[in-house]
Amino acid sequence: MKPPKKLIVCALILFLVIFYFHKKNKYTDNETGNMPNAISVSANEGRKLPTAAERKEEIAPTADELRKMVETPVEFYGQILDQHNNPVEGAKIRCSWVYISPTQSPIEVSTESGGRFEIKGLKAISISILVYPPAGYRVPQVDPEKLNDYIQIADPPERIQKHQRYGALPPTVKSMLFIAEAYKPDKNTPKIFRVEKIGLSDALYERKLVNYNKNNNGSALWFSLKKGSEGKSDRPVDEYSFEYSFYLNESEREANKKDWKSNKQWSWGLKIKVPGGGIQVVPGDHSLSRPEEVFKGNEIAPEIGYQEEIIFDFPKDIDASRWKDRMQTGCFIRFKDGTYARIVINAHEDLVSVQSYFNPTGSNNLKFDYSKRIKE
């Protein structure tokens, strides 16, 4: 008696499935299912490839390697400077390190002449430096993390560095070794930490722009924070100029004036651009602040976080809670040559005004003292 055709077909299908998976397992990593590269297929045939756990063990430091890294002598040189690059004496430095034992305490030193300090006499994979400013100085308001820095002292084995370069280091190893390049001690080139001297002010340019929005079609204008003059060409007045353009939909605004009870919105906006440099807005709502209060207690320009242009856009169809018929805000500016300024912008349908303070020295200190203003 012949077997049914259906049974024969099912058996054939089962045989093909078994054969397929047998061949697949023969040429793949049983742990991950990944095909080995084509060159090594024949060489690995019949040999089990390393599992994920085995590969992780290969690039994790051995006990001897870890002990060697922990025993790396620390030789660290630092210097504390204020916002004018003047050395600061009397600052306290607290140093702790990875694998500190219960019987050890963090090391504390003070800056000496020239604002310099040294950390020696201990062994560690990495150290943490925390700076406490002396009286008359404060932690930078812009970037306080700069006074708390982690320094990698030990070089991991070349085997692990190779995996670092290719991004293959497991998280457990990453938490043990800071991936940054190890610190190279150089007494003549100490690592710089910055504090701010309280109440210190520079000689600044004070300038003011008042434009009654004769050009409200979005065409570009320029204003120099050094000369205090305005330009209408496609070129800046000087290297300390920013570009601004104001636009307003006249027909929408006139419709609002004719039917003011309906409280209709109109489209308008302002764009500010610093070619080759950048601008960033001071956080907070300053629409009701007096101009002199916008930067109160925040007169040190940030060193990072700038973008080349900012657009303040108020289209007529946005939510009424976000739409404004006027705006006031503060911005920090960084020019292409690394000099800093701060401005207060006030804009509405009939006017754009800018109050500016520009420091030509390269310092990011923008605290203004009227008696020190530059009168050029």
Side-chain angles (χ1 to χ4, degrees):
M1 179 178 176
K2 294 183 179 181
K5 289 185 178 181
K6 288 184 178 181
L7 183 60
I8 295 174
V9 171
C10 290
L12 181 60
I13 292 174
L14 181 60
F15 171 77
L16 292 174
V17 169
I18 294 173
F19 177 79
Y20 169 77
F21 281 105
H22 172 74
K23 297 293 289 183
K24 183 174 184 288
N25 287 336
K26 188 175 182 180
Y27 293 108
T28 59
D29 180 353
N30 293 328
E31 182 76 11
T32 63
N34 296 328
M35 287 292 294
N37 61 61
I39 296 177
S40 60
V41 168
S42 60
N44 286 319
E45 187 171 344
R47 182 175 66 85
K48 184 181 178 182
L49 297 177
T51 65
E54 289 170 341
R55 287 194 298 270
K56 178 179 176 181
E57 185 176 349
E58 284 181 1
I59 56 179
T62 65
D64 289 339
E65 290 172 338
L66 186 58
R67 189 179 300 109
K68 183 178 179 180
M69 287 185 283
V70 171
E71 291 295 317
T72 304
V74 174
E75 182 184 357
F76 180 81
Y77 301 97
Q79 185 179 31
I80 312 297
L81 302 177
D82 67 12
Q83 65 267 45
H84 291 285
N85 294 320
N86 296 318
V88 177
E89 296 182 27
K92 303 292 184 182
I93 292 89
R94 184 183 179 92
C95 173
S96 56
W97 57 96
V98 176
Y99 298 115
I100 187 170
S101 72
T103 60
Q104 294 175 310
S105 300
I107 292 177
E108 294 186 357
V109 297
S110 299
T111 54
E112 301 175 350
S113 177
R116 292 176 177 257
F117 68 93
E118 299 179 0
I119 304 293
K120 294 181 179 180
L122 63 135
K123 298 177 180 180
I125 289 180
S126 62
I127 59 175
S128 171
I129 301 292
L130 182 60
V131 177
Y132 296 90
Y137 296 84
R138 67 179 182 181
V139 172
Q141 302 299 296
V142 176
D143 197 4
E145 310 85 51
K146 284 193 171 183
L147 294 191
N148 189 358
D149 206 353
Y150 291 94
I151 313 295
Q152 181 174 320
I153 301 297
D155 276 318
E158 177 60 30
R159 173 177 52 81
I160 295 179
Q161 292 184 37
K162 176 183 175 182
H163 288 285
Q164 287 177 333
R165 288 192 290 270
Y166 293 100
L169 211 60
T172 52
V173 181
K174 284 185 179 181
S175 65
M176 200 158 30
L177 301 171
F178 300 101
I179 305 306
E181 183 181 352
Y183 167 79
K184 306 301 180 186
D186 184 352
K187 194 170 186 177
N188 297 320
T189 310
K191 182 172 176 58
I192 303 299
F193 298 82
R194 291 195 180 273
V195 296
E196 293 175 8
K197 191 169 185 178
I198 300 172
L200 194 64
S201 61
D202 282 343
L204 306 181
Y205 286 94
E206 180 190 25
R207 299 290 184 245
K208 189 167 185 178
L209 162 71
V210 178
N211 186 319
Y212 288 98
N213 294 345
K214 296 177 182 178
N215 296 342
N216 57 16
N217 59 357
S219 58
L221 299 171
W222 294 87
F223 181 65
S224 168
L225 301 190
K226 182 177 181 179
K227 296 181 178 179
S229 55
E230 191 176 11
K232 299 181 180 180
S233 67
D234 58 350
R235 295 182 179 181
V237 179
D238 57 23
E239 59 185 319
Y240 305 115
S241 304
F242 67 81
E243 176 188 322
Y244 73 99
S245 53
F246 179 85
Y247 68 91
L248 181 146
N249 191 307
E250 290 278 9
S251 60
E252 293 175 357
R253 182 179 64 164
E254 291 304 315
N256 172 270
K257 287 184 176 180
K258 292 178 181 178
D259 187 15
W260 61 271
K261 291 184 179 180
S262 66
N263 198 28
K264 292 181 180 178
Q265 299 174 175
W266 61 89
S267 300
W268 72 283
L270 176 70
K271 180 177 79 171
I272 298 180
K273 184 176 182 180
V274 185
I279 183 170
Q280 65 174 287
V281 177
V282 176
D285 182 7
H286 306 289
S287 55
L288 301 178
S289 303
R290 291 182 297 181
E292 61 269 21
E293 294 178 343
V294 173
F295 289 93
K296 192 172 183 179
N298 187 23
E299 296 164 322
I300 305 296
E303 296 180 5
I304 57 175
Y306 293 87
Q307 56 193 74
E308 191 168 84
E309 69 176 41
I310 289 180
I311 300 176
F312 303 95
D313 192 25
F314 301 97
K316 69 171 184 177
D317 54 357
I318 65 170
D319 188 85
S321 62
R322 296 172 52 207
W323 188 86
K324 301 176 181 179
D325 63 353
R326 61 183 59 233
M327 57 155 280
Q328 177 178 269
T329 190
C331 296
F332 288 109
I333 288 178
R334 178 171 178 161
F335 289 110
K336 187 177 181 179
D337 66 350
T339 53
Y340 295 89
R342 60 181 174 93
I343 62 176
V344 177
I345 308 165
N346 196 312
H348 53 81
E349 57 182 300
D350 297 315
L351 176 73
V352 172
S353 69
V354 176
Q355 182 76 33
S356 68
Y357 301 93
F358 166 57
N359 190 333
T361 68
S363 167
N364 62 344
N365 179 21
L366 299 172
K367 185 177 179 63
F368 180 66
D369 183 340
Y370 183 80
S371 66
K372 295 182 180 180
R373 74 191 188 282
I374 300 175
K375 300 179 182 180
E376 293 179 8

